[in-house]
Amino acid sequence: SGSQATSAASFSGTKTIGPSGDDYASLTLALADINTLGMSGNVILELQSDYVSSGETFPLEFTNFPGLSSSMTLTVRPASGATGLSISGTNTTAIIRINNGDYITFDGRPGGIGTSRELTISNSTTGPSILFINDATNNSVRYCNIVGSGNTLTTSGVIFFSTTTGTTGNDDNTVQYCDLNGLGSAQAIYALGTTAKDNSGNQILNNNIRDFYISSSSTSSTYAVRIGAANTNWTISGNSFYQSSSRSYSATAAIHYILSISNSTTGVGFTITDNYLGGSGPLATGTYTMTAGQQRLFAMDLSVGNSTPTSIQNNTITNIACTTAFVTTGSSGILGMNLSAGSFNVGTVTGNTIGSTSATGA
């Protein structure tokens, strides 16, 4: 009998992606080589200034590539000087599918430097723009524009933290410093995990999460962030939730939510701090105005478990205008915090503000 030698992993370093690059015309081709060759070091896939995503095969599958680890990471970003780039398409599964992938970063800053968001990830149909599934852990999306222009499903989201066939859930992922535009979509961020394998430790930090709105004829509820069953111990901090234009809602009595958590069994230890809910711009500047229909807005609607308190500190809910008086159940109205079940520490470190301590009309 004989034996066959195994080739050593050989994919590492910075690779150029795009027509003017020396390495790959598309991310699809680069990912295929990573999967075949295996990683031997950190990998950076840099999108060149002439990169276009029309040649990609969606969803772009980021999986457990050979060699991928905390010491051998994978990053996708624009090259230095490249601006206004987009990974955009139409796919009901996702545009970016992080499937059992770990230590993967999408960084919208050219060369990974500065604060400019120069990468847009967009899906124009009912699939998410970014999907975390099957034990996707320790991944990061930062300084990106994330758009979902047609995802009206209440079973999905522009960013979707989904289920797992693995062992732990989709854990310790971070979305930060992004502009998340949900216009035309029912849910900007949605999380629904697998029983006994909760999605845990995920962080939503310092983002603009805006325009979570379908249309004046839609009878569906809308959500900026909706965290459902099998999710626990998330941090939601420093975000601005707002509507950049006035909104006209249906005459049907649907409730519209900014932040909703509904897991009174295993959902404990959430941290909700330093967020701004309301207004027409970041930090609740301007006014979120509802002009017609059943104007029912819950800024926070939380049902959690008891074992570890959920902490709600230094949040501001303000600059929301409801133009129809609340008369009966099912009619118009605004709720600041509806804490319907569970253990909470509210304002025990720093107080929260609902409305204004000094101004009228807030």
Side-chain angles (χ1 to χ4, degrees):
S1 62
S3 62
Q4 182 174 343
T6 301
S7 298
S10 59
F11 200 109
S12 67
T14 300
K15 307 296 182 182
T16 57
I17 311 295
S20 64
D22 296 327
D23 297 311
Y24 296 95
S26 68
L27 287 168
T28 302
L29 295 173
L31 296 178
D33 264 9
I34 295 173
N35 200 42
T36 299
L37 300 173
M39 293 172 54
S40 58
N42 292 332
V43 172
I44 301 174
L45 304 179
E46 285 203 330
L47 307 178
Q48 303 303 291
S49 59
D50 57 355
Y51 169 82
V52 292
S53 59
S54 56
E56 302 289 7
T57 300
F58 295 116
L60 289 169
E61 187 90 356
F62 289 79
T63 187
N64 188 20
F65 297 118
L68 189 64
S69 68
S70 59
S71 59
M72 285 193 284
T73 63
L74 172 61
T75 299
V76 178
R77 71 189 187 199
S80 180
T83 60
L85 301 183
S86 178
I87 304 173
S88 303
T90 301
N91 191 277
T92 56
T93 299
I95 295 301
I96 303 295
R97 185 173 191 255
I98 304 178
N99 176 17
N100 191 30
D102 306 332
Y103 303 104
I104 297 163
T105 296
F106 291 86
D107 190 338
R109 301 173 299 166
I113 299 172
T115 59
S116 179
R117 302 184 191 100
E118 299 296 344
L119 177 61
T120 296
I121 301 170
S122 175
N123 197 348
S124 57
T125 190
T126 53
S129 297
I130 300 175
L131 172 64
F132 297 90
I133 193 168
N134 296 331
D135 284 13
T137 62
N138 293 293
N139 302 293
S140 177
V141 181
R142 60 192 184 211
Y143 293 100
C144 292
N145 302 305
I146 306 167
V147 181
S149 58
N151 194 348
T152 58
L153 300 177
T154 56
T155 54
S156 184
V158 179
I159 298 177
F160 185 14
F161 293 82
S162 187
T163 54
T164 185
T165 57
T167 58
T168 65
N170 304 293
D171 302 334
D172 301 316
N173 301 290
T174 302
V175 179
Q176 60 182 340
Y177 299 110
C178 291
D179 185 270
L180 180 53
N181 185 347
L183 187 59
S185 299
Q187 301 176 152
I189 295 176
Y190 181 45
L192 185 67
T194 298
T195 300
K197 302 173 184 179
D198 287 14
N199 301 328
S200 66
N202 296 304
Q203 299 185 87
I204 310 298
L205 308 175
N206 303 307
N207 304 282
N208 294 332
I209 303 176
R210 60 186 177 91
D211 298 332
F212 33 97
Y213 174 77
I214 302 174
S215 71
S216 60
S217 62
S218 173
T219 59
S220 295
S221 293
T222 56
Y223 301 78
V225 173
R226 183 184 184 190
I227 299 175
N231 288 276
T232 191
N233 191 34
W234 287 48
T235 298
I236 302 168
S237 181
N239 304 285
S240 290
F241 301 92
Y242 60 94
Q243 298 281 359
S244 62
S245 299
S246 61
R247 302 300 181 202
S248 176
Y249 292 107
S250 165
T252 300
I255 300 174
H256 301 278
Y257 303 87
I258 296 178
L259 173 56
S260 171
I261 300 176
S262 181
N263 181 10
S264 59
T265 52
T266 60
V268 298
F270 292 92
T271 300
I272 303 168
T273 59
D274 305 316
N275 300 288
Y276 289 85
L277 298 83
S280 58
L283 307 181
T285 55
T287 303
Y288 169 10
T289 302
M290 296 174 281
T291 61
Q294 294 288 338
Q295 300 163 38
R296 304 187 67 202
L297 180 73
F298 286 18
M300 289 191 193
D301 184 60
L302 310 179
S303 174
V304 299
N306 289 308
S307 62
T308 303
T310 285
S311 181
I312 306 174
Q313 314 289 336
N314 197 39
N315 300 281
T316 301
I317 302 170
T318 191
N319 291 336
I320 303 170
C322 176
T323 62
T324 302
F326 188 92
V327 179
T328 59
T329 300
S331 187
S332 305
I334 300 170
L335 272 71
M337 293 184 186
N338 184 40
L339 312 181
S340 60
S343 177
F344 298 92
N345 290 330
V346 182
T348 53
V349 178
T350 306
N352 302 278
T353 299
I354 301 176
S356 171
T357 58
S358 59
T360 59

